Amino acid sequence: MRIADARVIVCSPGRNFVTLKVTTEDGVYGLGDATLNGRELAVAAYLGEHVVPLLVGRDARRIEDIWQYLYKGAYWRRGPVTMTSIAAVDTALWDILGKVANLPVYRLLGGASREAVMVYGHANGEDLDETVAAVGQYLAMGYKAIRAQSGVPGLASTYGVGLRQEYGPDVHLLHDVHHRLTPIEAGRLGRALEPYRLFWMEDPVPAELQEGFRLIRQHTTTPIAVGEVFNSIHDCQQLIQEQLIDYIRSTVVHAGGITHLRKIAHLADLFHVRTGCHGATDLSPVCLAAALHFDLSVHNFGIQEYMRHHDETDRVFPHHYRFADGFMHPGDAPGLGVDIDEAAAARHPYQRAYLPVSRKEDGTVHSW
Ligand code: CS2
Ligand code: MG
């Protein structure tokens, strides 16, 4: 089962996506998401210029060996561009293996550990009233867990009061701090929010300094989630082994694919850390499908982020995964159960775009 061809497809149905399509000499193909928001063409070039020429002729069934070859053989290790590229190859190979075995990928990963996976949606509002209303809309759609973000400066510690009063104790509430605080500020915020029992406080501080989380832990029992920007097990090894976090947010596309993410999850399982994969709309439906197979199978799953894609995106990437009553399932089609309509993709060419940059009132560049 040799790899005959691999192609990078860049398209922009609502936003930019990079997809790797790997085809075997028998004509079976697999897909991998290679989207790195705001740096899409860097990954497309890394794949096209350096990785694809190394793939042709290799046995598509040797997933672990190809992973190690691309990781160790490059000499230069880690980094988001490299790891996103390796992830795309790895995801496509799992998709091919599933199609050849006539099994959904989650069955190849050991089978379902649960019936379906709980997901959380994003409720955003310009102010407290709008945020409360947006949470209500998600509840009406069946969501059991909702991330609430209010646009009112300084209200992060008080909107929890309004939401709990409005919707009671059953709904899981999450909040994303987007790396904006110092550890001691995060400790104070976490402590102030304890009465409202957040499901998690996400990315309280920039996480390059893993031991910085010790300080947060000393001050609050609010659960902590981190890792959407991590690309390797080495970025979270200390956080996990010292039990400084509760949820690891790394996902398939940015953390080396299903193969590497499983290693992160298995390490996390030993230290009471659960998974909470990143799932914003800049991760394509190919990544979401792969994440759902991973989530369904892995024992220490916690929650999956699910920010609905635009209709245009869904039309380019037809898929079998489904949402019902706050839970998702990847479906039982062989492989990942997601495809790309290349003719539709071609109607949406790449659009240059960057992530927004936020600044403090005095003009200092701040974390997004
Ligand atoms: C966010 C993302 O989903 C999340 O938790 O942090 O919206 C993030 O800003 C984007 O995915 C960046 O690419
Ligand atoms: Mg986030």
Side-chain angles (χ1 to χ4, degrees), residues 15 36-38 120 122 147 176 178-179 202-203 228-229 249 254 278-283 305 307 355 368:
R15 65 179 313 141
L36 185 61
N37 195 5
Y120 71 90
H122 286 202
R147 188 189 91 165
D176 190 347
H178 273 118
H179 317 104
E202 176 181 336
D203 288 344
E228 67 183 44
V229 300
R249 301 253 309 132
H254 299 138
H278 186 201
T281 43
D282 51 287
L283 286 64
E305 182 178 13
M307 204 178 153
L355 278 157
W368 159 243

Side-chain angles (χ1 to χ4, degrees), residues 292-354:
L292 291 170
H293 286 278
F294 165 82
D295 296 336
L296 196 66
S297 65
V298 76
H299 172 70
N300 53 325
F301 167 78
I303 198 166
Q304 168 70 48
E305 182 178 13
Y306 174 48
M307 204 178 153
R308 289 159 184 271
H309 286 108
H310 300 266
D311 290 347
E312 279 173 323
T313 305
D314 284 338
R315 276 195 288 275
V316 168
F317 296 97
H319 50 258
H320 288 265
Y321 56 75
R322 53 185 188 267
F323 170 90
D325 209 21
F327 287 80
M328 290 184 80
H329 192 282
D332 283 297
L336 294 175
V338 62
D339 208 344
I340 184 164
D341 178 339
E342 290 194 57
R347 289 195 289 275
H348 300 280
Y350 170 75
Q351 313 274 324
R352 189 173 307 285
Y354 293 94

Side-chain angles (χ1 to χ4, degrees), residues 59-267:
D59 185 339
R61 293 167 295 195
R62 295 184 61 175
I63 299 176
E64 177 73 26
D65 184 66
I66 290 177
W67 195 96
Q68 297 294 344
Y69 176 79
L70 293 176
Y71 182 77
K72 295 186 173 148
Y75 186 71
W76 313 106
R77 294 189 187 176
R78 305 162 63 184
V81 174
T82 295
M83 297 303 280
T84 300
S85 303
I86 296 176
V89 175
D90 184 78
T91 309
L93 296 183
W94 281 105
D95 192 19
I96 289 172
L97 190 64
K99 287 177 177 174
V100 171
N102 201 28
L103 290 171
V105 166
Y106 75 83
R107 296 272 304 276
L108 303 178
L109 302 178
S113 288
R114 54 196 56 78
E115 302 309 317
V117 304
M118 184 168 72
V119 297
Y120 71 90
H122 286 202
N124 301 318
E126 290 288 315
D127 55 25
L128 179 56
D129 289 344
E130 264 189 31
T131 306
V132 171
V135 168
Q137 286 161 13
Y138 274 89
L139 280 174
M141 285 189 271
Y143 281 80
K144 309 287 182 251
I146 300 158
R147 188 189 91 165
Q149 307 289 132
S150 171
V152 178
L155 271 191
S157 62
T158 53
Y159 74 73
V161 184
L163 285 166
R164 277 284 176 243
Q165 277 172 355
E166 190 75 23
Y167 299 116
D170 289 342
V171 57
H172 297 299
L173 293 174
L174 301 80
H175 183 63
D176 190 347
V177 184
H178 273 118
H179 317 104
R180 285 182 178 141
L181 301 178
T182 63
I184 202 70
E185 289 169 344
R188 185 170 53 212
L189 175 62
R191 185 180 284 184
L193 291 171
E194 280 169 20
Y196 313 111
R197 303 285 294 266
L198 278 196
F199 186 92
W200 78 33
M201 175 170 71
E202 176 181 336
D203 288 344
V205 296
E208 287 93 333
L209 183 70
Q210 295 189 36
E211 55 265 44
F213 281 73
R214 279 195 214 122
L215 199 53
I216 305 176
R217 266 296 201 234
Q218 284 161 11
H219 293 282
T220 181
T221 56
T222 292
I224 296 165
V226 76
E228 67 183 44
V229 300
F230 293 170
N231 51 69
S232 147
I233 198 165
H234 303 289
D235 296 326
C236 52
Q237 181 190 349
Q238 185 182 5
L239 289 172
I240 291 172
Q241 289 182 332
E242 288 191 31
Q243 301 179 62
L244 299 178
I245 58 171
D246 301 279
Y247 296 91
I248 180 71
R249 301 253 309 132
S250 310
T251 194
V252 174
V253 58
H254 299 138
I258 292 172
T259 296
H260 194 64
L261 195 61
R262 285 177 94 196
K263 291 179 187 179
I264 294 176
H266 293 161
L267 176 69

